[in-house]
């Protein structure tokens, strides 16, 4: 029996494009999706909880001209003991 030689045409793919790399590609895609989801969830949680603290800090720093309360370092308005 004669041996049949197989000759591929140039550019003919005899091996699938992702041969052996399917698991790696799928794993990388899943990791990227997971990281994106965790980032979005953590950003949403940080934005919700930090706003009240940030607003309180800003209110504490604000000084209005019509505000009768003294400055924190000003002791002239304190009653004498």
């Amino acid at each position: 029996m004669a041996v049949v030689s197989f000759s591929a045409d140039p550019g003919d793919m005899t091996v699938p494009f992702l041969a052996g790399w399917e698991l790696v590609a799928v794993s990388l895609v899943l990791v990227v999706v997971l990281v994106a989801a965790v980032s979005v969830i953590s950003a949403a949680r940080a934005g919700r909880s930090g706003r009240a603290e940030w607003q309180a800090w800003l209110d504490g720093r604000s000084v209005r001209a019509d505000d009768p309360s003294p400055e924190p370092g000003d002791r002239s308005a304190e009653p004498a003991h």
Side-chain angles (χ1 to χ4, degrees):
M1 181 180 248
V3 176
V4 178
S5 65
F6 179 79
S7 63
D9 294 330
D12 185 25
M13 292 184 58
T14 57
V15 178
F17 179 67
L18 294 175
W21 290 94
E22 295 95 356
L23 183 61
V24 174
V26 168
S27 300
L28 285 175
V29 168
L30 288 176
V31 167
V32 167
V33 168
L34 182 65
V35 167
V38 168
S39 298
V40 168
I41 291 170
S42 64
R45 290 188 68 194
R48 181 180 55 200
S49 65
R51 181 162 173 82
E53 293 173 8
W54 178 249
Q55 191 64 42
W57 182 77
L58 287 175
D59 289 341
R61 291 194 61 207
S62 298
V63 178
R64 296 182 183 96
D66 60 342
D67 189 8
S69 62
E71 289 290 322
D74 186 15
R75 296 187 177 262
S76 62
E78 291 182 5
H81 292 316

